Amino acid sequence: MNSYQFDLFNAFTEKAFGGSPAGIIYDGAELSTEQMQQIAREVGAPATCFVIRVEKDDVHTRFFSTAKEYPMCGHGTLGLMTGLVERGHLEVPLGQTKKVHLHTSASSAVVQVTHLSNSRIEVMLKLAPAVFEPASLTPDQFKVFFGVSSQARDSSLPVEYTVSDFSHLVVPLKSLDDIRAVTPDFERIHEFCTQHHIDTVVLFSRQTVHPDSTVHCREFAPRVGTPEVPAAGTTNRALSCYLVRHDLLECSDGESHTVTSEQGYEMGRPSGVITRMALDDKTPTDLWVGGVATKVMSGQFFA
């Protein structure tokens, strides 16, 4: 039996028991794909990250859910970069920022890692803006999938679909009470998502728990192994771009704008996902998604 350095982080939260869990295996280079998938199932987190190698400012890794390999993972990246700095694999002095190149087997991304003055590590993942297309969700489907009347959906805004590293269906709701009342039928959602090649369904309301938040959302992803997602970076990229697309933000071209999304509250895992972007002719540019992660477990994984 071999042992592997292991940490568990809660991403998109400054406290334990919030955000989205992400496991980190730091010495995963010799593991096969089958072993990684087996370990990810055993860890049971929405994402487990396997570090393949770190070469100065280039980090090579693989992300797995309990069901499949991810091409990229926002909350896994927060845990990964925080762990690499804390364990000394990445050098980012206090008060400074470093840009790191993150490589998976499917894609690459630039990550901005800042060692804040309070010693926390802020991690922001640079992502391309989301591109949308129309989508269909009938009133009967809405009621069956989410357990609330179709009157809860904000019919003044469209349901839309976008594909990047993941595919997302974005569904606007009228109020915070409506989104809290949702009781998802995960089996039906899984069938629908499989049929239409959708990885996650995100419901959002512009009413929020905290007055300084922009939106409140819930996300369902049974097709990729996580029935309800407590926090996700790539999904909030899509949601932020949707808000810009439909003139739901007060922002002007050339100005930096921040979107703060509440997620995970109905699961008892409150989180805050930050999106920073600029606009060019009302099109998002220079888009970064991230936040901080909190370590909740550290030790050895035996396999």
Side-chain angles (χ1 to χ4, degrees):
M1 181 175 291
N2 296 320
S3 65
Y4 303 90
Q5 293 179 352
F6 175 77
D7 287 333
L8 184 70
F9 284 89
N10 290 342
F12 299 112
T13 178
E14 295 184 355
K15 299 179 180 179
F17 312 117
S20 193
I24 314 296
I25 298 286
Y26 292 93
D27 38 8
E30 302 304 319
L31 291 166
S32 68
T33 298
E34 292 74 18
Q35 288 173 311
M36 291 180 186
Q37 186 64 78
Q38 188 174 34
I39 290 171
R41 284 196 295 268
E42 186 70 13
V43 171
T48 299
C49 169
F50 297 85
V51 180
I52 307 304
R53 64 185 183 276
V54 179
E55 301 169 331
K56 293 185 179 180
D57 298 339
D58 285 273
V59 176
H60 297 261
T61 190
R62 296 176 72 176
F63 295 107
F64 286 79
S65 74
T66 57
K68 61 183 288 187
E69 183 169 6
Y70 289 149
M72 188 60 69
C73 180
H75 85 272
T77 298
L78 265 67
L80 167 66
M81 294 299 170
T82 303
L84 290 176
V85 173
E86 289 183 352
R87 285 181 174 262
H89 300 295
L90 271 179
E91 185 178 350
V92 184
L94 187 68
Q96 295 190 24
T97 296
K98 174 178 285 189
K99 287 188 177 178
V100 178
H101 296 276
L102 178 64
H103 309 277
T104 72
S105 54
S107 63
S108 297
V110 176
V111 182
Q112 184 170 278
V113 182
T114 302
H115 201 155
L116 301 172
S117 58
N118 63 1
S119 296
R120 298 304 298 254
I121 307 299
E122 183 188 73
V123 181
M124 301 297 292
L125 178 64
K126 186 173 178 60
L127 296 170
V131 177
F132 294 89
E133 58 186 76
S136 175
L137 190 66
T138 69
D140 285 344
Q141 286 174 324
F142 183 89
K143 183 177 181 180
V144 168
F145 296 162
F146 306 119
V148 291
S149 166
S150 62
Q151 297 300 312
R153 193 173 78 76
D154 186 349
S155 58
S156 69
L157 294 167
V159 175
E160 291 188 328
Y161 174 79
T162 181
V163 181
S164 51
D165 294 313
F166 297 88
S167 54
H168 309 283
L169 190 71
V170 182
V171 184
L173 270 61
K174 289 180 179 177
S175 72
L176 185 60
D177 286 342
D178 288 326
I179 204 166
R180 285 170 165 168
V182 166
T183 54
D185 185 326
F186 293 119
E187 184 174 348
R188 297 283 185 89
I189 294 171
H190 186 289
E191 292 173 357
F192 176 80
C193 288
T194 300
Q195 181 181 357
H196 296 281
H197 308 289
I198 298 166
D199 290 322
T200 84
V201 180
V202 57
L203 313 182
F204 80 92
S205 164
R206 285 177 285 165
Q207 289 187 355
T208 59
V209 174
H210 300 289
D212 55 348
S213 297
T214 312
V215 290
H216 185 99
C217 70
R218 295 180 70 179
E219 180 182 9
F220 308 113
R223 184 182 177 219
V224 298
T226 306
E228 183 161 0
V229 182
T234 50
T235 301
N236 279 283
R237 171 259 305 274
L239 183 52
S240 296
C241 291
Y242 180 99
L243 297 175
V244 171
R245 173 178 169 85
H246 295 288
D247 295 320
L248 302 178
L249 298 177
E250 296 181 5
C251 49
S252 303
D253 282 357
E255 296 181 357
S256 178
H257 191 81
T258 299
V259 173
T260 302
S261 177
E262 304 171 345
Q263 191 172 345
Y265 282 66
E266 291 73 19
M267 304 172 66
R269 301 193 64 89
S271 65
V273 183
I274 298 168
T275 303
R276 297 186 183 123
M277 58 187 169
L279 297 183
D280 182 6
D281 194 21
K282 293 189 176 182
T283 299
T285 63
D286 196 30
L287 190 151
W288 300 79
V289 180
V292 299
T294 298
K295 185 190 292 183
V296 293
M297 190 182 300
S298 184
Q300 301 289 315
F301 188 98
F302 295 93

